[in-house]
Amino acid sequence: MSAHQPRGDGRLPRRGRPARRHTPGPPRGRHGPSRPPEVDPARQAALELLTAVRERDAYANLALPTILRRHRLRDRDAALATELGYGTLRTQGLLDAVIEACTDRPMSHVEAPLLDALRLGTYQLLRTRIPPHAAVDTTVDLVRSTAGSRSAGFVNAILRRIGQRDEAAWVAELAPPAQEDAIGHAAFTHAHPRWIAQAFADALGPAGPAELDAALAADDARPVVHLLARPGEITAEELASACGGGPAPYSPYGVHLEPGTGEIGELGAVAEGLALVQDEGSQLVALGLARAALEGPDGGRWLDLCAGPGGKAALLGGLVALDGGSLDAVERSEHRAGLVRRAVDGLPVIVHVADGREAPLPVGGYDRVLVDAPCTGLGALRRRPEARWRRRPEDVPELAKLQRELLGAALRHVRPGGVVAYVTCSPHLAETVGVVTGVLRRRDDVEHLDARAVLPGVGDLGPGPSVQLWPHRHGTDAMFLALLRRTG
Ligand SMILES: C[S@@+](CC[C@H](N)C(=O)[O-])C[C@H]1O[C@@H](n2cnc3c(N)ncnc32)[C@H](O)[C@@H]1O
């Protein structure tokens, strides 16, 4: 449920600005010219976000700031636009099933802009405390302002039908019965595609039947923002008191911000480059590599083979710098390599634009190597609202092949006695255990270390030797970590 409490009519205070009008030409009613409807800018912004994601395949978190700026939305208005835009994207499959149950036309015959508006209205009806009449009226106003009265009437009729029941009643009617299809039922209830719920259940293993609901619910919740206090720049305690957050439970460099903290980039410590946004799970897997036991001394030669946009390179670079070492950071994309350069500015890190499978770097030359492999990102869906409906199961085999090749390259670059951390922000078994066992099967010079040993104090890590973190267990993204030490 949204914490937003709009005015009784569901519109937000206008702060003295004139209402925006988006009517190309006012539609004429039966009794002469009718006034163009007032359109709420927060909802207009949310609708534009849906359009950008649908038409341009935009990433919601990258598209939203520009949209908010264009509408000059801040504070509560920006928060409402974000909640409605992100929430609608996250819940799309559930919303579509409810909309479909209430239309006479097949969904494929509903024009895409109308479908966006229907999703936005349905989200407000089912998953916020916005009064139903306000959810319907503001959506109908939006449609009337751009698509005219006929379309507005169509949307009005469907939303009124949808608003006759709450979310639980629609789920009870439309979800597959739990007795016949427990995974399908959980997927529908928590607005996930079934294949992703299946992947979570597989990764949870024996805990799946008991924990799948909690895992999907945590994945569906609005995530708390985590910050990394850059080693040597600021302590987590200093950062927490500067930002009004609390120290993270597991990472000594982590801070959890309070929900509703405003524009993160405007926090002093972030603007000054002392801290950056980074999920605590990402911090833990990078720390895991830094803490892993080597055979022989650590010469301070570290490598990050898939570095963009540079969050873990910033942490590893900060840590290796404390001991006088250095980090090579490889990234295939020129643009993302630029982001890495920004993230590691001032640290002893050299950024290379190269394919990590054939980077021109020393063979057997590194003490510690991170492979934070490109993956489906199923473990960070809570931070990427549209991703769960965009990803396809067909993406997995190709990614797994690339992951195996990158892990093979990492094992070439690490010295005997050195350690490779294989990391994904996906719990999908084909991308995690499947990749590691596939590579280990062909080698007799690699030891699989127990990664639980490098995460002291973190409970519920399973039987090892690899570690799978979970939002519902650890409050982190679902990061996977395997530690492999070269023996010869
Ligand atoms: C999961 S992200 C890494 C996140 C990063 N470690 C961080 O913490 O910010 C994977 C990265 O690998 C890059 N990548 C994909 N294929 C690659 C390849 N063959 N060689 C090197 N980098 C690659 C992607 O562009 C992406 O930036």
Side-chain angles (χ1 to χ4, degrees):
M1 278 286 174
S2 163
H4 296 290
Q5 294 283 25
R7 296 181 346 199
D9 62 358
R11 295 194 177 92
L12 291 152
R14 294 212 170 267
R15 303 187 203 294
R17 276 188 295 122
R20 277 163 189 269
R21 303 228 157 100
H22 293 265
T23 314
R28 286 179 173 271
R30 254 184 299 163
H31 306 293
S34 57
R35 275 174 31 141
E38 275 195 5
V39 172
D40 169 41
R43 287 173 173 86
Q44 177 76 43
L47 190 61
E48 284 177 21
L49 181 66
L50 305 189
T51 307
V53 168
R54 174 175 52 76
E55 285 185 348
R56 294 190 275 116
D57 260 355
Y59 292 107
N61 61 334
L62 300 184
L64 184 65
T66 311
I67 294 173
L68 294 180
R69 267 198 304 277
R70 194 166 55 241
H71 287 273
R72 281 180 271 149
L73 295 177
R74 291 186 62 83
D75 307 326
R76 279 174 60 89
D77 290 352
L80 179 63
T82 306
E83 160 62 17
L84 298 186
Y86 280 10
T88 304
L89 289 168
R90 213 182 273 126
T91 325
Q92 185 176 303
L94 171 64
L95 302 177
D96 284 1
V98 175
I99 294 166
E100 189 160 29
C102 293
T103 51
D104 304 327
R105 309 180 193 172
M107 289 285 272
S108 56
H109 290 201
V110 179
E111 295 89 333
L114 290 191
L115 184 55
D116 286 341
L118 281 167
R119 287 169 175 161
L120 183 62
T122 306
Y123 179 75
Q124 293 173 66
L125 286 168
L126 300 189
R127 285 208 166 185
T128 72
R129 290 199 289 255
I130 292 168
H133 69 272
V136 174
D137 292 352
T138 52
T139 308
V140 169
D141 284 350
L142 272 177
V143 173
R144 185 175 292 115
S145 74
T146 53
S149 295
R150 272 179 70 119
S151 299
F154 170 71
V155 166
N156 184 41
I158 293 171
L159 290 181
R160 286 192 189 285
R161 249 174 266 160
I162 291 170
Q164 284 165 8
R165 301 185 204 176
D166 64 8
E167 182 184 0
W170 281 117
V171 168
E173 175 167 331
L174 299 174
Q179 311 81 324
E180 288 168 27
D181 180 4
I183 291 175
H185 184 85
F188 190 97
T189 305
H190 300 292
H192 280 66
R194 193 186 185 291
W195 76 273
I196 293 180
Q198 181 71 60
F200 279 28
D202 294 345
L204 286 163
E211 290 189 30
L212 181 61
D213 252 308
L216 294 173
D219 206 44
D220 213 22
R222 290 119 198 86
V224 169
V225 175
H226 300 172
L227 295 183
L228 169 77
R230 286 179 182 268
E233 299 288 348
I234 188 170
T235 66
E237 290 69 27
E238 288 164 348
L239 180 61
S241 68
C243 298
Y250 308 120
S251 165
Y253 300 99
V255 166
H256 288 197
L257 293 181
E258 294 295 332
T261 305
E263 186 55 51
I264 309 298
E266 290 176 8
L267 293 173
V270 175
E272 289 166 35
L274 304 176
L276 49 89
V277 173
Q278 186 174 63
D279 179 78
E280 189 181 1
S282 287
Q283 299 175 31
L284 290 176
V285 293
L287 284 169
L289 173 63
R291 291 169 177 167
L294 307 182
E295 275 170 11
D298 187 342
R301 296 162 307 166
W302 295 8
L303 170 63
D304 180 349
L305 212 49
C306 303
K312 295 181 195 71
L315 175 50
L316 292 173
L319 291 172
V320 81
L322 295 177
D323 290 328
S326 64
L327 176 77
D328 281 312
V330 177
E331 168 57 47
R332 184 165 66 174
S333 144
E334 178 72 61
H335 168 68
R336 290 172 76 83
L339 300 177
V340 181
R341 282 188 203 101
R342 275 206 351 228
V344 301
D345 189 31
L347 293 171
V349 178
I350 299 173
V351 180
H352 309 263
V353 181
D355 187 322
R357 292 170 291 184
E358 47 197 35
L361 293 170
V363 169
Y366 295 91
D367 302 288
R368 301 180 192 272
V369 181
L370 173 67
V371 188
D372 186 14
C375 69
T376 53
L378 299 192
L381 295 176
R382 61 194 191 137
R383 301 198 188 278
R384 298 173 195 157
E386 75 288 354
R388 70 182 73 167
W389 306 107
R390 193 177 269 172
R391 273 290 174 201
R392 299 275 166 259
E394 306 84 83
D395 300 337
V396 175
E398 198 180 323
L399 282 166
K401 178 172 177 292
L402 175 59
Q403 291 156 355
R404 281 193 299 276
E405 292 167 356
L406 285 164
L407 179 51
L411 289 166
R412 272 200 310 280
H413 288 298
V414 78
R415 69 164 171 83
V419 172
V420 171
Y422 175 75
V423 165
T424 60
C425 62
S426 167
H428 195 301
L429 289 177
E431 301 184 84
T432 59
V433 177
V435 168
V436 174
T437 52
V439 169
L440 290 185
R441 203 178 300 129
R442 293 197 204 96
R443 311 187 60 124
D444 58 4
D445 60 346
V446 178
E447 195 182 346
H448 197 166
L449 302 180
D450 191 338
R452 294 173 299 177
V454 296
L455 299 178
V458 185
D460 258 339
L461 291 176
S466 303
V467 156
Q468 179 62 64
L469 300 172
W470 289 100
H472 69 290
R473 289 187 191 169
H474 307 104
T476 65
D477 289 348
M479 303 295 300
F480 173 83
L481 168 67
L483 292 174
L484 307 178
R485 187 163 62 199
R486 275 275 305 274
T487 53

